[in-house]
Amino acid sequence: MAGHSKWANIKHRKGAQDKKRGKIFTRIIREIHIAAKEGGGDPDSNPALRLAISNGKGANMPKDTIERAIKKATGADATNYEEPTYEGYAPHGIAVFVECTTDNLNRTVASVRSVFTKKGGSLGTNGSLGFLFKRKGVFTIPQGEMDEDDFTLEMIDGGAEEVELNDGLFLITTAYEDFANLMHKLEEMSIEPESAELQRLPHEEVNLPISEAKQALNLIEALEEDDDVARVFHNLEITEELLESD
């Protein structure tokens, strides 16, 4: 993706998160729950739990909320969550990949299908759109007092493919295989990322006229509002003009 498009996407995602802080907490709590239930409640021996806790801290989640989620996940009556994915098209041919975390598959698929239908899209079959995206590790880290050049060299040493700085925020991307390596590098440097996650980035983005882009974005945002939806990935080019439009 072009640099300006990456940052516009970051602004869009951060804006959505700021509006739905409660939903972000719900998503992270479920991530903590799944990680603890599958790999145990000790983050020192459970990398997935360590990552989920890190994301919780990055979202300013209270420590006691994190601890309660771990305790509940490792209890005898822990909820069973599944992580289904769905693929489809928003209006004007925009590809959409949806990752969910749910304790009720029937509810989730009905809700996702309803959004696609009501917003002028179409839900496809699993595997039909995966080839349009590549798995990447994506980190956002506040610059603080860090020197850009020194930090960039450290990140490249840890496996980063790209390191960009914009408005005091580093955006770092890694190959899927190097995600854990860079996470370990940050831990060695005692740096807590604002967010660290595996994303599906499009090989190419589609630029639409504003009116058409807004129709596609309406579907994307409706999916993001669903409590069972963890992440939504798409190949719509998010531009500053689109973000600033009414």
Side-chain angles (χ1 to χ4, degrees):
M1 292 189 295
H4 73 280
S5 179
K6 284 185 181 180
W7 288 106
N9 270 287
I10 290 272
K11 288 181 181 179
H12 172 246
R13 289 173 66 89
K14 284 178 68 65
Q17 289 175 1
D18 289 343
K19 292 178 183 177
K20 296 175 284 224
R21 178 66 60 182
K23 184 184 185 309
I24 297 304
F25 277 18
T26 297
R27 174 175 66 79
I28 294 173
I29 286 171
R30 290 184 181 183
E31 290 176 355
I32 291 172
H33 187 106
I34 291 172
K37 194 170 191 297
E38 293 181 355
D42 182 5
D44 290 335
S45 59
N46 185 342
L49 178 58
R50 198 157 62 244
L51 172 61
I53 291 172
S54 176
N55 282 332
K57 291 178 179 178
N60 296 315
M61 180 178 286
K63 182 180 178 181
D64 63 338
T65 301
I66 294 173
E67 292 175 346
R68 282 200 306 272
I70 296 173
K71 184 176 181 180
K72 184 175 181 180
T74 53
D77 58 346
T79 303
N80 290 316
Y81 284 107
E82 298 181 74
E83 299 178 286
T85 62
Y86 304 98
E87 302 165 43
Y89 285 100
H92 311 292
I94 296 300
V96 181
F97 197 108
V98 187
E99 294 181 350
C100 299
T101 306
T102 180
D103 58 354
N104 187 322
L105 279 173
N106 290 333
R107 178 191 68 219
T108 302
V109 68
S111 180
V112 169
R113 181 181 290 114
S114 175
V115 171
F116 273 96
T117 300
K118 291 179 179 178
K119 298 296 182 179
S122 59
L123 189 61
T125 57
N126 277 8
S128 59
L129 300 180
F131 71 96
L132 295 174
F133 300 87
K134 54 186 179 289
R135 299 296 303 277
K136 293 285 185 180
V138 179
F139 299 76
T140 56
I141 299 172
Q143 181 183 14
E145 301 300 319
M146 293 186 292
D147 178 80
E148 180 180 359
D149 292 337
D150 291 344
F151 179 74
T152 298
L153 289 174
E154 291 281 4
M155 292 299 94
I156 292 173
D157 181 60
E161 291 183 336
E162 289 185 83
V163 181
E164 299 179 47
L165 178 63
N166 187 287
D167 291 336
L169 189 71
F170 285 108
L171 174 65
I172 305 163
T173 56
T174 73
Y176 175 84
E177 298 79 9
D178 288 326
F179 180 80
N181 293 334
L182 191 60
M183 195 71 206
H184 182 65
K185 179 70 172 180
L186 291 170
E187 289 174 355
E188 287 183 343
M189 297 173 67
S190 298
I191 294 175
E192 196 81 59
E194 184 175 284
S195 66
E197 59 185 12
L198 290 168
Q199 296 191 14
R200 300 175 190 270
L201 304 182
H203 289 288
E204 293 184 6
E205 292 186 316
V206 178
N207 184 284
L208 294 176
I210 293 297
S211 60
E212 295 181 0
K214 289 173 72 173
Q215 292 175 349
L217 193 58
N218 282 340
L219 182 146
I220 292 164
E221 291 180 337
L223 287 169
E224 290 174 337
E225 291 171 0
D226 190 294
D227 283 341
D228 289 341
V229 173
R231 297 176 183 86
V232 182
F233 303 107
H234 57 84
N235 65 349
L236 172 66
E237 181 176 353
I238 302 292
T239 63
E240 294 287 352
E241 185 182 6
L242 176 58
L243 292 180
E244 293 170 0
S245 65
D246 293 332

